[in-house]
């Protein structure tokens, strides 16, 4: 399949390659040599060189997901996209934007806000997380309930394939069914199918007004949360999130060590207030309500997006920090959080967690001793899988990734995934063993 | 045509007999006269005779039929309602059509988790109808929704008038059961749980035009009905004003549920068809704008929309008085394509997409194409997301007109591609636009896709010859386009 490279230059070592001094990173996913890419040509040249010379390449950008998957401590080359950043094009009237992968979420937000527009994607650590990384790892936040996740915003990409060729997927228009929807293959594929060198995104207008309503439930009243969430979901309300916080997270965010339900509205002011009125009128007797608006609401979110582990913030040599992502049926989120808290108590680890009862994704952050953590994940996984959910380890030190399965069991259709990997990266040089089943 | 006892004259061959053993004797059509209505789908410019049509009743039968056909080396095509507009379900000749229309049950409904599981032959509109009493609906609403199947919608990644705010089919699919071209049955997005680890095959399969697998079960998202809806109809004397109004509505931070436009020829059509509204015949275009959501937020948006229209020299603008009026406006709009039959013996629907801001310029170019090919072109479009449907009116009985219509259609797509758009927004590539894929993708990019196809469908036995350009023909297209100076 590999097209022959007419340009013999491609086989020579790119000048940008240098020895990596940072060896033995606790999160692994490093490289013997290091290359900082400043252009698509840098990426392409590096990959063409690696491909020809059978060198493996790990890809890094902001580094917030360095602890996410990966069975190889050091590849031959660590390719960084951190400096390949910036806005290529912002078509204001079309509500679309094309960006380079190293652009952080915060930089995108800042660029767009003077135009009254935004990217409705709210992953944690917006100052560090880059759009390339967020898309490659398919990260998302509580507001995906209304706005969707990466697969709903990415309308086109440019991908540098393993052999250095540049392939475009999708396009620049918001509706497009020409050919296969190849965008989807690269979202969440952890850089194992190609390096994303440009991304075209669908934008939204910034909502005119926002409010966050927080309902605190007394301990032992978890059933009341479920009942209220079900009632709300069946009403005319259109919340952007319906996120349940464990008491540990609630304590950090609100000072109250109780389960909380965060309901956010973003709309015209009258619509926000009308919906908040509904909440006030239907508030369960077990609950206490706090509401923030506008500036206060966005500050609240600012704090929220900095929960949990991002880099290797290992506290000391023995205790580790880790993070999990759970996918489940929407309403199982509440049970999964409770199970996690219960297990944490039994086993003796500290956990924080939150999850969306309208979208089925739960995130857990954890601190504790490695052995305890292993049993925590195993037991949690068993419970969650009983109800057709799954558990992934989104942040874990390299040594532990060799003891726990990051991705869980291979899916039955793994042979298709393997076939796709084989097509895009036949020599398996890109982020080798970073993904499900050792892809 | 053969009638009466002559029908029995043709005996089923060994292959047909074996297919009958798998699905039942009455479930296989194989006589010429029975096959005629399966020669094409809603795109009638290309036709081919299938070898047989097999009506399957369950996943196992699909798998057994596929396994058997594989063994025999016979190509096959999944078929839903056959309303496709690009020849996706049209045989090239000799394929077995596997019709999924008998698999039409809803298998599961879970409103608390907002999902439903349906078989592929389930009719799109029926889903909304069957849950509307509980206050829920299924968002993707192609104009053909009274007839098309959800399996077909998945294959085409269909859109509809309301996808500006709510997205297209792919944004509403949570899980699929698929029979692969080997006959193997796989599940993607089991139980509708989002973001399962592994490449997003759910996303890849959706919109793959029935070339990667046959979908036998679909888990879809269902949504709660919005509390309120308001619909505005605005008549413009100048199409540029209407286009400007579209841009300004979006710039005002409004995401209408729908934002549709129709030009004068299209209006002539819909006013001559089943649901005339009484639109003035002399206007250049109308906009049909719908806003929905929490009632308290809607009034303001409607006021802003009215202001934008007035600022842009609207001749008349009105808000639907009641559900009956709103319903009529929509029925009139959704009749759009069919209505062309009232003013022209034949028509060809195109499906280009452009960046919304390029609308005026592209419409001018389409008008030039109309003049050049001497064929009337009506325009109906989802203006909000830049998805154009130029309808090329022609008379197939007049020699040369079909070919001219086809070339004019292709020229319209070239214009869309040249302004940074796409050749199809919702109808798919099929047979019709496979050569035009080269307007937007280069060889390596097409190969990147055909290699993915080979992972699933290595012998191209499932829906062969669709979606991608045939190597020989691309040169002709390029020559044609350069000859035309387009
Ligand atoms: C009047 C009219 C209006 C239309 N309006 C719209 C519109 O507004 N928006 C829009 O997007 N489309 C529209 N369409 C096009 C068409 O209705 C859609 O593409 C629809 O999704 C096709 O569904 P179907 O069941 O008729 O599929 P078919 O035409 O039978 O098949 C379409 C394709 O899907 C494949 N397929 C069918 N079922 C399966 C399955 N179970 N598994 C795998 N592959 C399968 C077929 O092989 C074929 O390639 C319109 C068509 C008409 C005639």
């Amino acid at each position: 399949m590999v097209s022959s490279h007419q340009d013999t230059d491609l086989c020579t070592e790119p000048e940008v390659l240098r020895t990596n001094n940072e060896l033995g990173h606790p999160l692994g996913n490093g490289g013997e040599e290091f290359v900082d890419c400043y252009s698509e040509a840098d990426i392409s040249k590096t990959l063409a060189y690696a491909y020809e010379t059978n060198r493996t390449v790990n890809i890094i950008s902001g580094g917030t997901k360095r602890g996410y998957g990966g069975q190889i401590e050091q590849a031959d080359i660590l390719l960084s996209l951190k400096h390949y950043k910036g806005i290529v094009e912002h078509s204001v009237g079309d509500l679309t934007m094309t960006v380079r992968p190293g652009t952080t979420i915060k930089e995108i937000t800042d660029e767009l806000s003077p135009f009254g527009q935004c990217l409705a994607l709210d992953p944690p650590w917006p100052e560090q997380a880059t759009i390339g990384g967020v898309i490659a790892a398919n990260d998302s936040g509580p507001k995906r309930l209304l706005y969707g996740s990466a697969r709903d915003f990415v309308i086109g990409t440019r991908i540098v394939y393993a052999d250095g060729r540049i392939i475009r997927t999708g396009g620049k228009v918001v509706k497009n069914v020409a050919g296969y929807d190849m965008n989807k293959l690269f979202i969440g594929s952890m850089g194992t199918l190609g390096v994303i060198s440009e991304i075209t995104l669908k934008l939204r207008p910034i909502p005119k007004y926002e409010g966050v309503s927080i309902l605190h439930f007394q301990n032992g009243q978890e059933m009341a949360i479920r009942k209220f969430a079900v009632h709300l979901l069946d009403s005319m309300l259109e919340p952007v999130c319906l996120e349940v916080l464990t008491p540990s997270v609630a304590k950090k965010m609100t000072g109250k060590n109780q389960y909380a339900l965060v309901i956010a509205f973003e709309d015209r002011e009258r619509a926000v207030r009308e919906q908040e009125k509904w909440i006030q009128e239907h508030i369960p007797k077990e609950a206490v309500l706090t509401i923030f608006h506008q500036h206060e609401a966005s500050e609240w979110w600012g704090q929220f997006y900095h929960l949990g582990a991002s880099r290797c913030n290992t506290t000391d040599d023995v205790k580790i920090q880790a993070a999990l992502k759970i996918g489940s049926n929407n309403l199982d989120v509440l049970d999964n959080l409770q199970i996690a808290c219960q297990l944490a108590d039994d086993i003796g680890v500290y956990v924080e967690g939150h999850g969306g009862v309208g979208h089925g994704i739960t995130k857990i952050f954890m601190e504790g001793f490695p052995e305890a953590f292993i049993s925590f994940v195993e037991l949690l996984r068993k419970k969650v899988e009983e109800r057709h959910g799954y558990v992934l380890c989104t942040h874990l030190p390299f040594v532990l990734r060799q003891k726990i399965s990051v991705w869980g069991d291979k899916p039955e259709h793994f042979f298709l995934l393997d076939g796709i990997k084989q097509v895009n990266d036949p020599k398996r040089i890109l982020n080798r063993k970073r993904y499900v089943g050792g892809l | 045509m053969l009638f009466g006892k002559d029908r029995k004259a043709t005996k089923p061959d060994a292959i047909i007999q074996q297919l009958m053993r798998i699905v039942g004797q009455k479930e296989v059509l194989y006589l010429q006269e029975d096959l005629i209505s399966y020669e094409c789908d809603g795109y009638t410019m290309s036709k081919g005779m299938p070898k047989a049509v097999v009506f399957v009743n369950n996943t196992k039968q699909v798998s057994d039929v596929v396994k058997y056909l594989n063994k025999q080396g016979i190509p096959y095509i999944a078929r839903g309602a056959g309303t496709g507009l690009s020849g996706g379900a049209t045989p090239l000749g000799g394929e077995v059509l596997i019709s999924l229309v008998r698999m039409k049950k809803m298998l599961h409904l879970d409103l608390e988790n907002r999902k439903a599981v349906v078989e592929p032959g389930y009719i799109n509109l029926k889903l909304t109808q069957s849950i509307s009493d509980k206050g829920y609906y299924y968002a993707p609403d192609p104009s053909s929704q009274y007839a098309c199947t959800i399996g077909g919608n998945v294959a085409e990644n269909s859109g509809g008038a309301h996808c500006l705010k709510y997205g297209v089919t792919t944004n509403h699919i949570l899980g699929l059961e698929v029979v692969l071209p080997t006959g193997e049955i796989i599940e993607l997005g089991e139980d509708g749980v989002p973001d399962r680890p592994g490449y997003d095959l759910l996303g890849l399969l959706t919109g793959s035009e029935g070339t990667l697998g046959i979908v036998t079960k679909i888990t879809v998202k269902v949504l709660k009905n919005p509390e309120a809806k308001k619909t505005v109809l605005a008549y413009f004397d100048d199409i540029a004003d209407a286009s400007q109004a579209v841009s300004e509505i979006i710039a005002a931070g409004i995401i209408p549920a729908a934002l549709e436009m129709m030009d004068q020829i299209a209006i002539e059509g819909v006013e001559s068809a089943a649901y005339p509204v009484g639109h003035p015949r002399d206007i250049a275009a109308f906009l049909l704008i719908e806003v929905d959501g929490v009632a308290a937020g809607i009034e303001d948006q409607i006021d802003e929309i009215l202001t934008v229209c007035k600022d842009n020299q609207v001749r008349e603008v009105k808000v639907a008085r009641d559900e009956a009026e709103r319903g009529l406006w929509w029925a009139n709009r959704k009749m759009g394509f069919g209505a062309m039959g009232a003013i022209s013996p034949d028509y060809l629907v195109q499906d280009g997409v452009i960046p919304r801001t390029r609308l005026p310029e592209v419409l001018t170019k389409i008008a030039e194409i109309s003049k050049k090919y001497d064929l009337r072109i009506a325009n109906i479009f989802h203006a909000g997301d830049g998805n154009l449907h130029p309808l090329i009116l022609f008379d197939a009985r007049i020699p040369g007109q079909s070919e001219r219509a086809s070339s004019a259609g292709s020229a319209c797509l070239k214009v869309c591609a040249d302004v940074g758009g796409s050749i199809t927004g919702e109808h798919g590539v099929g047979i019709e636009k496979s050569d035009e894929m080269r307007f937007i993708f280069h060889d390596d990019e097409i190969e990147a896709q055909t290699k993915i196809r080979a992972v699933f469908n290595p012998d191209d036995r499932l829906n062969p010859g669709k979606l991608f350009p045939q190597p020989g023909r691309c040169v002709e297209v390029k020559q044609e386009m350069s000859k035309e100076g387009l």
Side-chain angles (χ1 to χ4, degrees), chain B residues 26 29 34 84 105 127 133 173 224 236 267 275 305 317 337 340 350 355 364 375 407 409 427:
Chain B
K26 295 217 176 86
L29 301 180
D34 292 332
K105 287 192 287 292
L127 179 49
D133 60 327
I173 301 300
K224 183 75 191 168
F236 290 86
I267 293 168
Y275 304 104
I305 288 170
V317 57
F337 300 167
M340 294 304 123
Q350 268 310 352
T364 308
L375 293 171
S407 303
H427 295 167

Side-chain angles (χ1 to χ4, degrees), chain B residues 27-93:
Chain B
E27 311 290 340
V28 181
L29 301 180
Y30 64 95
L31 297 172
Q32 267 314 81
E33 70 268 28
D34 292 332
L35 297 177
I36 288 216
S37 44
Y38 294 91
E39 266 185 328
C40 66
D41 61 8
Y43 171 71
T44 54
M45 312 270 277
S46 168
K47 293 181 180 170
M49 199 51 104
K51 175 172 176 60
V53 182
V54 175
F55 294 91
V56 284
N57 289 289
N58 54 51
T59 305
K60 177 154 190 314
Q61 285 183 354
V62 177
S63 166
D64 289 347
V65 167
V66 164
K67 281 181 189 157
Y68 173 68
L69 292 173
N70 263 336
K71 222 187 276 166
Q72 301 300 317
I74 297 172
Y76 45 92
I77 305 177
R79 183 178 161 113
T83 66
L85 289 175
S86 54
T90 298
L92 301 180

Side-chain angles (χ1 to χ4, degrees), chain B residues 403-426:
Chain B
E403 293 74 17
R404 250 176 32 233
S406 214
S407 303
S410 185
C412 289
L413 297 184
K414 185 76 172 62
V415 169
C416 294
D418 288 349
V419 298
S422 173
I423 57 165
T424 172
E426 52 182 22

Side-chain angles (χ1 to χ4, degrees), chain A residues 106 122-127 143 210 212 253 294-307:
Chain A
K106 169 85 166 42
D122 65 333
W125 305 98
E127 299 83 3
K143 296 183 185 176
E210 68 171 312
V212 178
M253 293 298 303
Q294 294 294 81
H295 176 64
E296 278 183 348
S298 44
E299 275 193 352
W300 192 91
W301 282 116
Q303 194 189 337
F304 183 87
Y305 294 132
H306 295 90
L307 291 170

Side-chain angles (χ1 to χ4, degrees), chain A residues 10 90 133 196 207 217 264 272 357:
Chain A
L10 292 184
H90 174 201
I196 305 173
F217 288 80
V272 170
V357 274

Side-chain angles (χ1 to χ4, degrees), chain A residues 175, chain B residues 41-42 77-85 87-90 98 100 120-121 141-161 169 208-211 213-216 218 333-335 337-338 347 351 382 387 389 425-428 430 462-463 466:
Chain A
K175 208 170 161 195
Chain B
D41 61 8
I77 305 177
R79 183 178 161 113
T83 66
L85 289 175
T90 298
I98 301 178
L100 295 133
D141 62 336
S143 299
S144 51
Q145 67 186 136
Y146 54 88
C148 65
T149 66
I150 296 194
N153 295 166
V154 169
E156 298 289 0
N157 190 11
S158 299
T169 300
S208 62
E209 303 193 17
T211 63
I214 300 181
V215 173
T216 47
I218 304 145
R333 160 62 189 88
K334 291 200 172 182
M335 265 307 280
F337 300 167
Y347 65 93
D351 181 38
H382 309 301
N387 187 189
H389 293 311
E426 52 182 22
H427 295 167
L462 171 59
N463 212 357
K466 303 290 170 69

Side-chain angles (χ1 to χ4, degrees), chain B residues 417-438:
Chain B
D418 288 349
V419 298
S422 173
I423 57 165
T424 172
E426 52 182 22
H427 295 167
V429 175
I431 294 179
E432 184 198 18
K433 295 183 270 286
S434 59
D435 287 337
E436 281 79 3
M437 282 284 275
R438 292 186 190 275

